[in-house]
């Protein structure tokens, strides 16, 4: 991670801690490796929910592996791939 990436991550996590409370619903629209998603899940606690999305296969793989390592804080991952010309799920997996 570069100097700027670390500062951006630190700033965003500071803002998360100031705004997100136990029981909230949070959205991580760029789940990536799961760093933000894990922090969000800690902040919303057992009574809140985090919805995390990503469109890159590597990001989804890293995220699922990261969440598996944090079993107990994250109790599941749903991956849904829509790549058909019809509005249906062509395949999906539930972790």
């Amino acid at each position: 991670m570069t100097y700027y990436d670390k500062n951006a991550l630190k700033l965003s996590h500071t803002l998360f801690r100031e705004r997100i409370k136990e029981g909230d619903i949070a959205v991580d629209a760029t789940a990536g490796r799961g760093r933000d998603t894990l922090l969000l899940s800690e902040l919303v606690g057992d009574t809140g929910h985090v919805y995390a999305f990503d469109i890159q296969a590597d990001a989804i793989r890293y995220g699922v592996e990261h969440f598996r390592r944090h079993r107990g804080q994250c109790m599941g991952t749903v991956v849904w791939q829509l790549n058909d010309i019809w509005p249906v799920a062509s395949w999906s997996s539930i972790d």
Side-chain angles (χ1 to χ4, degrees):
M1 238 190 258
T2 68
Y3 170 81
Y4 296 105
D5 292 333
K6 289 179 185 175
N7 283 337
L9 185 65
K10 185 177 178 180
L11 174 62
S12 65
H13 285 195
T14 299
L15 292 172
F16 291 168
R17 286 185 180 95
E18 290 175 0
R19 304 278 184 212
I20 299 170
K21 305 294 181 227
E22 177 99 17
D24 282 353
I25 295 173
V27 176
D28 182 357
T30 57
R33 294 183 181 238
R35 290 183 185 105
D36 293 336
T37 309
L38 183 61
L39 174 62
L40 292 170
S41 68
E42 292 170 2
L43 295 172
V44 301
D46 293 337
T47 58
H49 295 283
V50 176
Y51 297 96
F53 306 91
D54 210 306
I55 60 169
Q56 299 177 40
D58 283 345
I60 293 169
R61 180 173 52 85
Y62 290 132
V64 169
E65 290 169 357
H66 184 72
F67 303 140
R68 284 180 180 161
R69 287 191 297 271
H70 291 87
R71 190 171 300 240
Q73 285 179 288
C74 176
M75 296 310 291
T77 303
V78 177
V79 179
W80 215 272
Q81 171 69 35
L82 301 171
N83 64 354
D84 249 344
I85 59 171
W86 301 104
V88 297
S90 56
W91 62 267
S92 64
S93 66
I94 298 175
D95 185 45

